[in-house]
């Protein structure tokens, strides 16, 4: 459906140095509503020249102007005001996110938008708490440390949580006193542009936040290469993360990389079955499976396996798929035609490699990039659908006999982002949590996040942490000061 008049769409411009400007080359590209396949609007296609302008603006704002003159308390108040303004625009932002990404309005309104507002308010509190230390190093000397911002941060984000991940990146970077050039995903650029306008309304000085829309190899790579950028914070695929790491070595940029996952969700036979069923469903179908922490490998202990599959199949059949603007809809379309194609090709691979299709496995008829919620049973951990990140509503169920076997299998993955454990046995729960190679482990729940809890990966899922105090410190560096008192 066409966007309604109350949804203010982006003006086809970039946001650089507090101004809305066209891309230097004048190019634009379309952003598509994946539920209808219709064009929502044209967005400016930023390239190297635009990145250069944005980095210049961010550099000037870091070194002079209003931003570095703000006290930490004033910086905190600014972030708090942005959080409040996100809440003030909640309906509009949720609708825009749904139109651009295909996520359901219920998820956008209940999760993405309020968590983005909360993230700004959480980091508002940290602006006044960036403390150094006095260090008892030597007699006759006074030693102390300062925790300083890094400078200009390049932030590159994906299309699955466009507003929320913009908040995860911006709020800690700004709280620590940095300035930012943000490159949203080409599939979902609209809420980041609205956020720039909202931040400007809140009084953020020109150049502190710049948003350059465009493609990865154009705008994204130019940001990674730019010598005026001190750090790249990236969320996206492992392949692009590797490419960014290679390129960033030329200018020795600091990096945090939040990459792919193939997270194990482990259900022991003594689990609360209702809760585990909800957790398994939520783990794979939330945001139509386009979640880096999706619990895409479901390990079920032998005695429970058959009954559990039956329940899962029955519950999945009840999931309402369709118009993501309908509050009753649970599953929206995949973000793009390309993504839908990728998901369906993995389904074909699963069938070819001998997994048993329990349900789904096909595109839903009609317009929009809808993939039926899909469950594969009798999956082996070495099959492609158990090894590679699908990023869609496709669950691989694998049976196991005991804790040693499941820990070995769960860890036999290139990735290590998240994991779930379901059991009523408290010792087994904590033993398994310790043994699993993952940045986050959920016990008897799945997919919870909080601005205060660090989040990030191990192994090929990347490094560095977002959120919490760890997330703040990733945007700072320590200076050691020596004072001769003799
Ligand atoms: P996905 O596979 O989820 O689409 P990508 O890793 O391709 O994720 O994209 C995530 C973000 O990285 C997007 O903003 C995209 O434009 C950007 N990107 C893609 N390729 C590059 C690249 N070579 N350099 C920098 N950024 C890139």
């Amino acid at each position: 459906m066409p966007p309604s008049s109350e949804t203010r769409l982006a003006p086809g411009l970039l946001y650089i140095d507090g101004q809305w400007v066209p891309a230097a080359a004048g190019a634009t590209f379309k952003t598509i509503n994946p539920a209808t396949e219709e064009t929502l609007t044209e967005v400016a296609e930023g390239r190297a020249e635009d990145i250069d302008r944005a980095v210049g603006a961010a550099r000037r704002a870091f070194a002079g102007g209003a931003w570095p003159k703000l006290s930490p308390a004033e910086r905190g108040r600014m972030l708090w005001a942005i959080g409040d303004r996100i809440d003030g625009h909640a309906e509009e932002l949720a609708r825009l996110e749904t139109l651009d990404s295909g996520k359901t309005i219920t998820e956008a309104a209940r999760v993405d938008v309020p968590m983005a507002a909360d993230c700004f308010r959480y980091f508002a509190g940290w602006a006044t708490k960036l403390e150094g230390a006095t260090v008892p190093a030597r007699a006759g000397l006074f030693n102390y440390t300062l925790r300083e911002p890094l400078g200009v941060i390049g932030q590159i984000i994906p299309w699955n949580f466009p507003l929320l991940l913009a908040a995860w990146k911006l709020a800690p970077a700004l709280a620590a006193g940095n300035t930012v050039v943000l490159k949203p995903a080409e599939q979902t650029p609209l809420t980041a542009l609205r956020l720039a306008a909202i931040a400007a309304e809140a009084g953020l000085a020109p150049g502190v936040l710049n948003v350059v829309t465009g493609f990865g190899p154009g705008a994204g790579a130019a940001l990674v290469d730019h010598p005026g950028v001190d750090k790249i914070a990236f969320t996206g695929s492992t392949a692009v993360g590797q490419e960014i790491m290679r390129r960033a070595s030329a200018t020795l940029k600091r990096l945090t990389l939040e990459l792919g996952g193939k997270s194990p969700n482990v259900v022991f036979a003594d689990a609360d079955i209702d809760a585990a069923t909800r957790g398994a469903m939520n783990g794979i179908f939330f945001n139509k499976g386009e979640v880096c922490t999706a619990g895409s490998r479901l390990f079920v202990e032998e005695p429970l396996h058959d009954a559990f599959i039956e329940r899962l199949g029955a519950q999945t059949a009840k999931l309402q798929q369709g118009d993501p603007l309908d509050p009753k809809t649970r599953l929206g379309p995949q973000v793009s035609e390309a993504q839908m194609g990728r998901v369906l090709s993995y389904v074909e691979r699963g069938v070819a490699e001998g997994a048993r299709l329990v349900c789904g496995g096909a595109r839903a008829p009609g317009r929009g990039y809808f993939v039926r919620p899909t469950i594969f049973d009798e999956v082996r951990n070495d099959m492609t659908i158990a090894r590679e990140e699908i990023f869609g509503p496709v669950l691989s169920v694998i049976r196991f006999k005991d804790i040693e076997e499941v820990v070995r299998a769960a860890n036999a993955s290139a990735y290590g982002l998240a994991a779930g454990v379901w059991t009523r046995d408290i010792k087994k729960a904590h033993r398994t949590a310790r043994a699993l190679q993952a940045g986050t482990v959920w016990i008897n729940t799945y997919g919870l996040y909080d601005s205060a809890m660090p989040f990030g990966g191990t192994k090929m899922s990347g490094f560095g942490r977002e959120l919490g105090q760890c997330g703040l410190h990733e945007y700072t560096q320590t200076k050691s000061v020596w004072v001769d008192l003799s």
Side-chain angles (χ1 to χ4, degrees), residues 156-159 183-187 214-217 220-221 224 234-237 240 243-244 247 342 391:
I156 302 175
I157 56 175
W159 40 260
K183 209 295 279 173
E186 53 272 32
Q187 296 86 346
F215 293 95
V224 175
F234 170 76
T235 299
S237 61
V240 172
E243 164 70 7
I244 286 176
R247 295 183 87 113
R342 211 152 36 220
F391 231 63

Side-chain angles (χ1 to χ4, degrees), residues 51 134 168 213 485:
I51 289 290
T134 56
W168 282 22
T213 49
L485 298 181

Side-chain angles (χ1 to χ4, degrees), residues 48 51 55 156 217-229 232 243-244 246-253:
I51 289 290
V55 172
I156 302 175
L223 193 55
V224 175
D225 290 344
H226 202 293
V229 174
I232 293 287
E243 164 70 7
I244 286 176
R246 273 191 293 272
R247 295 183 87 113
S249 73
T251 46
L252 213 71
K253 283 190 180 62

Side-chain angles (χ1 to χ4, degrees), residues 287-301:
N287 202 41
K288 3 103 188 201
E290 292 170 350
V291 182
C292 51
T293 55
S296 52
R297 287 185 298 152
L298 183 71
F299 290 92
V300 184
E301 199 170 6

Side-chain angles (χ1 to χ4, degrees), residues 138-144 481-486:
R138 300 251 189 103
L141 282 156
F142 170 36
N143 289 76
Y144 66 96
V481 184
W482 297 66
V483 187
D484 182 6
L485 298 181
S486 61

Side-chain angles (χ1 to χ4, degrees), residues 261-264 296-299 346 350 353 355 376 379-390 394-398 409-410 412-415:
K262 194 74 200 176
S263 298
S296 52
R297 287 185 298 152
L298 183 71
F299 290 92
Y346 273 113
E353 291 182 14
F376 277 109
V379 178
R380 285 194 328 271
N381 204 36
D382 60 354
M383 288 181 182
T384 307
I385 54 169
R387 283 188 291 110
E388 296 185 13
E389 183 174 48
I390 298 176
V394 180
L395 181 65
S396 295
V397 183
I398 304 170
S413 168
Y415 295 112

